[in-house]
Amino acid sequence: QVQLVESGGGLVEAGGSLRLSCAASGNIFYGNTMGWYRQAPGKQREFVATITTGGSTSYADSLKGRFTISRDNTRNRVHLQMSSLKPEDTAVYFCTERQGGQEFWGQGTQVTVSS
């Protein structure tokens, strides 16, 4: 089992920035993929970004250039730097970890962008 705990969410004005963090603990395999998804009110959960142990990244096309994912393998943490935030970025942001055919999810952290 892997436990994921997100932090860093909050209320920010449009145009502002936030940095989300996710701490992973438990039976973590080297070579995993960590990432972020988000779910806005009344909408389906959507992909944000992922990053492999080696640092290869993937982003939702609509978020490229504004969001940056990074990770600290020594501390089993993944981060999401969000800039130029828009009201439509308002959502619960979930951390994920995939390894060995399994996928784990955090409880999510709320990000609210005011106009």
Side-chain angles (χ1 to χ4, degrees), residues 32-93:
N32 64 1
T33 297
M34 299 188 73
W36 294 91
Y37 282 69
R38 68 183 185 182
Q39 187 166 17
K43 296 188 177 181
Q44 290 188 327
R45 194 170 295 188
E46 65 174 355
F47 169 74
V48 174
T50 56
I51 185 168
T52 67
T53 303
S56 294
T57 58
S58 179
Y59 293 91
D61 287 342
S62 61
L63 301 178
K64 288 179 181 177
R66 294 195 301 121
F67 287 17
T68 302
I69 191 170
S70 61
R71 65 185 289 169
D72 181 345
N73 291 332
T74 62
R75 299 177 65 194
N76 292 320
R77 290 179 182 265
V78 63
H79 308 285
L80 185 69
Q81 180 67 46
M82 305 183 293
S83 60
S84 301
L85 284 163
K86 306 174 182 179
E88 51 264 43
D89 294 319
T90 295
V92 177
Y93 285 71

